[in-house]
Amino acid sequence: EVDAVEKTITEQYKEKTGIDCVHTITEPAAGARRVDLGYLIPEQHVMESISRAKELKADGNALFKEGKLKKALDKYHRMHFHIGGLIKKEGGMAGMMRQEKLSDEEKTEVTSLLGSMHMNKSMCYVKLEKWDKGLEACTTALSVGGVDEGKCLYRRGICYRKVGELSKAKVDLDAATLKAPSDVNIQKELKALASDRKASEDKAKKTYAKMFG
């Protein structure tokens, strides 16, 4: 896999710059090497970071299919290390590779990778029943953009229901229905939500009856 990514980077770099040189894949670091790449050869840094993020995404997806959710999450987390700083606008090292250093195509690709990274993380968190982290991942995915909004709202609706935020769950699931009206999973979740709301209302009535009865 690494050889294939190295070959891709070498070919892309030659096509973009006209320079024929062999590239190797290394972990972009937060120290001197990342600074050197960012200032001296930003094109190489961007291509390397995107290629590495794609490789990590593929690895994470394979692990997810095998049911190795925590290992999959680790791969998705590491994606952010490689591409999280590429579209930041702040100054300093974290924002060194600002948006103007990326082509429109690269911006779109990075945004898509970031969105899918957060979506995939939310999928793992839902499977692991880590509802608060699932909420955070879904909200970030919607903020980044470039994701299936219906699926993301549906997933966040599940998390809201599980943490007892039933009104927010209803808002998200209704919005998800508008995005994907024929999705049977959303309808099932709405039924589960209706059941939870009824149970909550019945419990409240019993509590009030004891207090004022």
Side-chain angles (χ1 to χ4, degrees), residues 116 119-120 122-123 126 134 138 141-142 147-159 172-173 175-181 183 185-186:
S116 66
M119 281 288 283
N120 291 348
S122 74
M123 184 168 55
V126 168
C138 287
L142 288 168
V147 299
D148 184 331
E149 291 186 2
K151 185 179 293 184
C152 195
L153 288 165
Y154 158 69
R155 202 169 287 161
R156 192 171 70 171
I158 293 175
C159 294
D172 272 2
L173 291 171
T177 300
L178 293 175
K179 298 284 185 181
D183 191 317
N185 290 320
I186 298 174

Side-chain angles (χ1 to χ4, degrees), residues 14-211:
K14 181 179 180 180
E15 180 180 349
K16 188 169 185 177
T17 65
I19 300 173
D20 190 3
C21 60
V22 176
H23 295 72
T24 58
I25 297 297
T26 56
E27 294 285 343
R33 182 176 180 280
R34 188 179 179 98
V35 174
D36 288 342
L37 283 172
Y39 284 107
L40 301 178
I41 41 176
E43 296 88 353
Q44 178 180 345
H45 174 76
V46 170
M47 286 186 290
E48 178 179 336
S49 296
I50 291 174
S51 294
R52 183 62 178 137
K54 286 180 176 179
E55 183 185 64
L56 287 166
K57 178 183 176 181
D59 290 345
N61 291 348
L63 288 166
F64 180 86
K65 290 178 180 178
E66 294 174 7
K68 299 175 181 177
L69 303 179
K70 292 183 179 180
K71 289 185 177 181
L73 269 172
D74 178 66
K75 298 294 184 181
Y76 299 140
H77 283 310
R78 288 170 60 192
M79 285 177 66
H80 193 274
F81 178 80
H82 292 275
I83 58 175
L86 291 181
I87 58 173
K88 288 184 178 180
K89 295 182 180 180
E90 300 83 19
M93 188 176 294
M96 181 182 62
M97 299 301 299
R98 297 186 295 275
Q99 282 197 358
E100 59 265 27
K101 291 186 180 295
L102 276 67
S103 67
D104 290 341
E105 182 180 350
E106 288 167 340
K107 290 177 190 176
T108 299
E109 189 167 22
V110 170
T111 298
S112 177
L113 282 168
L114 285 171
S116 66
M117 176 192 74
H118 290 295
M119 281 288 283
N120 291 348
K121 285 167 64 176
S122 74
M123 184 168 55
C124 290
Y125 288 135
V126 168
K127 291 282 188 181
L128 292 168
E129 299 186 358
K130 294 182 179 292
W131 310 119
D132 288 331
K133 289 187 176 182
L135 278 172
E136 181 181 358
C138 287
T139 300
T140 305
L142 288 168
S143 176
V144 170
V147 299
D148 184 331
E149 291 186 2
K151 185 179 293 184
C152 195
L153 288 165
Y154 158 69
R155 202 169 287 161
R156 192 171 70 171
I158 293 175
C159 294
Y160 273 133
R161 181 173 73 84
K162 292 294 187 177
V163 298
E165 296 278 2
L166 303 185
S167 295
K168 291 182 179 180
K170 184 69 163 61
V171 170
D172 272 2
L173 291 171
D174 284 344
T177 300
L178 293 175
K179 298 284 185 181
S182 61
D183 191 317
V184 296
N185 290 320
I186 298 174
Q187 300 309 312
K188 287 180 181 178
E189 186 60 24
L190 279 168
K191 289 181 180 179
L193 175 62
S195 177
D196 284 1
R197 295 182 76 175
K198 185 178 185 306
S200 179
E201 290 168 1
D202 290 345
K203 183 178 180 180
K205 287 178 182 179
K206 289 180 180 179
T207 301
Y208 292 145
K210 289 180 180 179
M211 292 174 61

